[in-house]
Amino acid sequence: MSIFEEVHERKKTRSVKWDMIESVFGSKEVVPMWVADMDFRAPNKINEALIKRAEHGIYGYTVIDKEVQDSVVNWIGNRHRWEINSEWLSFSPGVVNTLHMAIQAFTEPGDKVLIQTPVYTPFYNVIKGHHREIVKNPLIYNDGQYHIDFDDFSEKLKSGVKVFVLCSPHNPVGKVWSIDELKEIARLCLENGVMIISDEIHADLVFRGVHHTPIASISHEIADNTITCMAPSKTFNLAGLEVSYVVTSNKEKREKLNNQFTKQGYHPNGLNTMANTALEAAYTHGGPWLEELIAVLESHRNYVIETLESETTLKVTRSEGTYLLWIDCSALQLNSDDLKKFMIQEAKVGLNAGVDYGVEGEQFMRMNIACPRATLEEGVKRIIDAVKQR
């Protein structure tokens, strides 16, 4: 049996995804396919490294040393063809934490921040929570695919926007932006004096035929205008260990961000003991496991698309990356509240409501396919049966 086919019991492990289903969905009967973590064990090399560290039994303060830094530098160079310097790195418990710090460091209350909707829910919370103004550049949905409205993007940048928060690859629609799209984004931001904060947490999870390009890797000028947020957490299912990092080549911006980290009680060169250990192990030994994972996720994506579209009126965006699928439920002709209730009460699956990612997602649901095939098939079957019984 493949390691990705094994079903692991996650209930009573204090799992948000499994132990909170009743409080989130009001039912114990749903199959949880929502919050973005995987139902797969992390690579053995990571688990072995963590066990060895635990056997030492002393959990004092730890530092990010050269070995850990080099593992990040080498991973990004080999995986993403981006040669970075270890001095450019800052470390953080999570990308969302970094977004909070960055918004505070590089904008002031009342400043405009641009996002491309529908988009990851914390983008809204980070901007509004610090009293900045959200400016939206809605993505164009056409024939089951999403594209950037560059005319609107350009006009919005001219309205006084200070920062653009890029989601690359895009969550929830699964789009991996082409290098031409990224170049145009960067050109317009430079032209209008708009800084880029790029959330690239899903960078490693892209399918065959596409390649993720870190926007800052395109040119020195673009890198100088960008901070890039990355992590091994989605890639290797390490979210609970709280480990991420930021790549900032511009010294002034890096120091400004690090100062904001310090103000909030974070050390930009420190992680918790287990996060530190897992980061190095993941980037040193995790490549072969990741290749197997991507093949499984691509197979899962194809299964969901082919099965749902052949058996129901639902349409699924053909994602190019991430382990999240964006399902167009408009044929059901339900409003967002009724659609959510239908999935919970009739289909008995726990998905993320599309409306949570913006009004553009009112007729959509987001499905997490990073689970054993048996779990995936059960969730898909429940949806098909519920749709047919309407």
Side-chain angles (χ1 to χ4, degrees):
M1 176 186 291
S2 163
I3 58 173
F4 298 106
E5 293 177 2
E6 187 176 354
V7 177
H8 300 281
E9 178 58 70
R10 295 192 65 191
K11 291 180 180 177
K12 298 184 179 179
T13 63
R14 298 173 180 160
S15 162
V16 169
K17 186 176 183 179
W18 286 85
D19 289 325
M20 290 186 66
I21 56 175
E22 186 172 14
S23 61
V24 172
F25 298 103
S27 170
K28 293 181 178 180
E29 298 179 3
V30 300
V31 175
M33 305 177 79
W34 60 300
V35 67
D37 70 21
M38 298 190 277
D39 291 331
F40 305 132
R41 284 170 56 91
N44 286 338
K45 289 289 187 180
I46 297 177
N47 294 326
E48 290 166 3
L50 291 171
I51 291 168
K52 182 179 180 180
R53 185 64 185 81
E55 286 174 344
H56 183 260
I58 299 175
Y59 307 106
Y61 298 114
T62 54
V63 66
I64 305 291
D65 61 14
K66 184 177 185 300
E67 285 75 14
V68 177
Q69 292 173 339
D70 285 348
S71 72
V72 177
V73 170
N74 292 335
W75 181 266
I76 293 176
N78 295 331
R79 198 90 197 171
H80 302 296
R81 308 168 196 167
W82 183 19
E83 300 303 319
I84 68 167
N85 189 313
S86 61
E87 294 179 356
W88 301 353
L89 296 172
S90 307
F91 293 85
S92 164
V95 167
V96 173
N97 301 75
T98 299
L99 294 177
H100 279 281
M101 304 301 167
I103 289 297
Q104 292 177 85
F106 300 109
T107 66
E108 299 293 335
D111 281 351
K112 295 180 177 181
V113 179
L114 181 67
I115 57 176
Q116 293 176 316
T117 55
V119 75
Y120 184 47
T121 306
F123 282 20
Y124 297 91
N125 303 334
V126 165
I127 298 166
K128 291 189 293 186
H130 296 293
H131 308 291
R132 276 62 168 172
E133 180 182 342
I134 294 174
V135 178
K136 299 201 296 185
N137 167 229
L139 298 175
I140 299 171
Y141 180 59
N142 185 28
D143 293 330
Q145 290 295 324
Y146 281 86
H147 308 277
I148 297 171
D149 183 342
F150 278 109
D151 289 337
D152 181 72
F153 185 74
S154 178
E155 287 303 311
K156 296 291 175 58
L157 291 178
K158 294 174 183 175
S159 70
V161 167
K162 292 293 181 67
V163 164
F164 166 52
V165 185
L166 171 66
C167 195
S168 177
H170 194 281
N171 174 11
V173 308
K175 181 75 173 181
V176 177
W177 304 115
S178 70
I179 192 166
D180 288 338
E181 289 169 316
L182 294 171
K183 284 180 177 179
E184 184 64 4
I185 285 170
R187 183 187 71 80
L188 290 169
C189 286
L190 286 167
E191 189 177 277
N192 290 280
V194 175
M195 179 183 163
I196 301 170
I197 300 173
S198 189
D199 175 356
E200 303 190 17
I201 195 170
H202 292 280
D204 300 320
L205 298 168
V206 298
F207 301 135
R208 288 175 297 180
V210 293
H211 174 73
H212 171 77
T213 301
I215 192 168
S217 72
I218 297 172
S219 74
H220 292 300
E221 186 180 22
I222 296 169
D224 206 48
N225 190 48
T226 303
I227 72 164
T228 304
C229 307
M230 305 181 92
S233 53
K234 300 302 181 192
T235 308
F236 297 105
N237 208 23
L238 306 177
L241 292 181
E242 299 191 331
V243 50
S244 79
Y245 54 92
V246 195
V247 185
T248 315
S249 61
N250 180 285
K251 184 179 179 181
E252 182 180 348
K253 287 184 172 64
R254 185 169 65 251
E255 290 178 348
K256 196 168 187 178
L257 179 65
N258 288 347
N259 286 339
Q260 188 63 43
F261 269 72
T262 303
K263 286 180 184 178
Q264 300 298 326
Y266 292 104
H267 195 297
N269 194 38
L271 290 170
N272 74 70
T273 302
M274 292 310 195
N276 201 347
T277 300
L279 172 61
E280 182 183 15
Y283 280 172
T284 304
H285 304 291
W289 182 93
L290 176 57
E291 293 305 320
E292 289 186 55
L293 170 67
I294 290 173
V296 169
L297 295 177
E298 189 166 357
S299 173
H300 283 192
R301 177 202 63 180
N302 295 343
Y303 167 77
V304 174
I305 292 174
E306 291 164 9
T307 307
L308 283 184
E309 294 193 351
S310 65
E311 298 287 335
T312 74
T313 54
L314 305 182
K315 300 294 180 184
V316 185
T317 301
R318 192 170 187 82
S319 64
E320 298 171 324
T322 83
Y323 50 75
L324 307 165
L325 290 186
W326 190 237
I327 304 174
D328 182 349
C329 304
S330 57
L332 299 180
Q333 297 184 323
L334 298 171
N335 63 40
S336 58
D337 288 338
D338 289 340
L339 177 58
K340 185 176 180 179
K341 290 176 183 176
F342 171 79
M343 289 297 178
I344 296 170
Q345 298 172 5
E346 304 300 324
K348 293 182 170 53
V349 291
L351 308 178
N352 290 102
V355 70
D356 293 343
Y357 303 89
V359 294
E360 299 85 0
E362 286 182 332
Q363 295 295 311
F364 292 79
M365 300 295 288
R366 192 190 78 168
M367 172 187 282
N368 179 345
I369 60 171
C371 56
R373 188 59 168 251
T375 305
L376 183 72
E377 290 180 357
E378 175 62 22
V380 170
K381 180 180 182 299
R382 290 185 181 202
I383 293 172
I384 291 171
D385 290 346
V387 171
K388 288 182 175 180
Q389 289 172 15
R390 286 196 77 236

